[in-house]
Amino acid sequence: MSETTEPTVPEPLSATAPTTPATASATPAKLTRAKVGLRITHRRYVPYGHAHYAGNLVDGAYSMAAFGDVATEMCIVTDGDEGLFASYSDVQFRSRITAGDVIEISAEIVRVGTRSREMDFEVRVVGRGNQERGESAAEMLDPPIVATTARGVVVVP
């Protein structure tokens, strides 16, 4: 159910560490497509089975799991490996997510280390049910509502 909003042909892999004649044969450089500004976006419907609170509110862990999914795709695209999450920082729950919402989850690389990738994450509500119009009525939101933001670090082998 994932969708990359900016489909592009990946650039050739490039080395993350410079090689010198002394290290070229002893330690091969890690190949990566990771670069600052690369963005991956998923879009998904929030099913009613994920509501945990009154008013069909979804818990904050739902956003965190979605961040993990988009980070995994980022690592696969850039490094050919699922990677592992090392940390989150500055998690902000700015608005509610409810069952029936359509959300977009994005990850953008803000720093590339030898084995680490620091990313900014954002969940936006782009569609929401509108029961005033009918039990199954819904509408797309313009502009979207920013629901959750965070910064995270993943590591790749």
Side-chain angles (χ1 to χ4, degrees):
M1 280 196 149
S2 70
E3 169 184 303
T4 303
T5 57
E6 300 167 6
T8 58
V9 176
E11 295 177 15
L13 293 174
S14 61
T16 58
T19 57
T20 63
T23 62
S25 62
T27 314
K30 170 108 171 77
L31 299 179
T32 184
R33 290 185 179 99
K35 62 182 180 182
V36 171
L38 182 62
R39 176 185 283 272
I40 300 283
T41 300
H42 290 189
R43 182 178 275 201
R44 69 177 66 157
Y45 175 79
V46 180
Y48 280 83
H50 288 240
H52 286 275
Y53 303 104
N56 291 319
L57 185 64
V58 175
D59 63 12
Y62 192 85
S63 291
M64 304 306 283
F67 290 157
D69 291 344
V70 75
T72 297
E73 182 180 344
M74 179 71 80
C75 291
I76 292 168
V77 167
T78 60
D79 296 282
D81 189 275
E82 292 181 347
L84 294 171
F85 238 107
S87 67
Y88 281 111
S89 62
D90 196 28
V91 177
Q92 300 284 319
F93 298 102
R94 298 171 178 236
S95 186
R96 65 189 170 97
I97 298 174
T98 57
D101 285 351
V102 177
I103 60 172
E104 282 184 348
I105 310 98
S106 64
E108 182 174 340
I109 295 178
V110 295
R111 187 184 59 77
V112 177
T114 304
R115 293 185 50 232
S116 64
R117 313 289 178 250
E118 189 169 355
M119 299 178 215
D120 279 341
F121 297 96
E122 186 174 77
V123 172
R124 292 173 302 281
V125 178
V126 297
R128 180 161 276 165
N130 183 347
Q131 292 189 356
E132 292 174 5
R133 288 188 24 237
E135 189 174 313
S136 62
E139 58 196 16
M140 300 308 286
L141 303 179
D142 187 21
I145 299 167
V146 176
T148 313
T149 59
R151 181 162 283 201
V153 177
V154 297
V155 293
V156 293

